[in-house]
Amino acid sequence: MPAEVSAGHDDSPEGGLRKVARVVLLDPEDRILLLHGHEPDDPADDWWFTPGGGLEGEETREEAALRELAEETGITEVELGPVLWRRTCSFPFAGRRWDQDEWYYLARTTVTATRATALTELERRSVAGARWWTCQELSQAHETVYPTRLAELLRSLLDEGPPAGPVTLDTEIV
């Protein structure tokens, strides 16, 4: 589940949760952008995940979401919307356990070309690219995707619009 981390930016308090901002980025065709990650030493151990990463210094979650999106995709022309979902997760990655408090922001863009511009050394070893997915493609995917209910969540978002307030997703422990 892992290249969900922007390693090198481990600012989690001792024994606490790492604060993470993620982006549910939709294009004009309502496709969602996902990054393809894998264990640094085992490309066969792979998954798809939304852009995002840990907060740096005193930045807000909104600032982190936009910075991470720019670093991981090169996309800066976005309209950042509300927080859709929140979840707590814990997973092994790159030889350690990551405990995170993730907030997922809705964002829209007309830009569909992606180019990573500022990956950390660990991200360079564990992110294999990006892809735009339709909701149907995501629903039919046999690949691992995080959060695990993303296809269902995306369908609800597209059918009903953003929730009135952030929805708390089930905790995921891998």
Side-chain angles (χ1 to χ4, degrees), residues 117-132:
T117 60
L119 298 182
T120 66
E121 186 272 335
L122 181 56
E123 287 170 328
R124 283 192 298 277
R125 293 177 30 229
S126 61
V127 177
R131 175 183 161 194
W132 292 95

Side-chain angles (χ1 to χ4, degrees), residues 22-92:
R22 301 208 154 283
V23 180
V24 175
L25 185 63
L26 302 178
D27 74 359
E29 298 173 32
D30 285 336
R31 296 181 305 169
I32 185 172
L33 182 67
L34 298 179
L35 301 180
H36 190 202
H38 59 82
E39 268 296 330
D41 298 323
D42 183 7
D45 183 3
D46 68 332
W47 55 87
W48 292 88
F49 63 102
T50 58
L55 276 62
E56 293 182 0
E58 299 298 314
E59 75 183 343
T60 65
R61 290 207 195 229
E62 293 86 356
E63 291 167 340
L66 293 171
R67 176 186 50 76
E68 287 284 342
L69 185 64
E71 291 174 357
E72 294 174 348
T73 71
I75 297 174
T76 57
E77 297 173 33
V78 298
E79 179 183 324
L80 193 63
V83 177
L84 300 170
W85 317 307
R86 293 181 182 167
R87 82 167 179 157
T88 301
C89 61
S90 179
F91 52 89

Side-chain angles (χ1 to χ4, degrees), residues 28 48 114 128 144 151 158 172:
W48 292 88
T114 62
T144 301
L158 296 177
E172 288 191 53

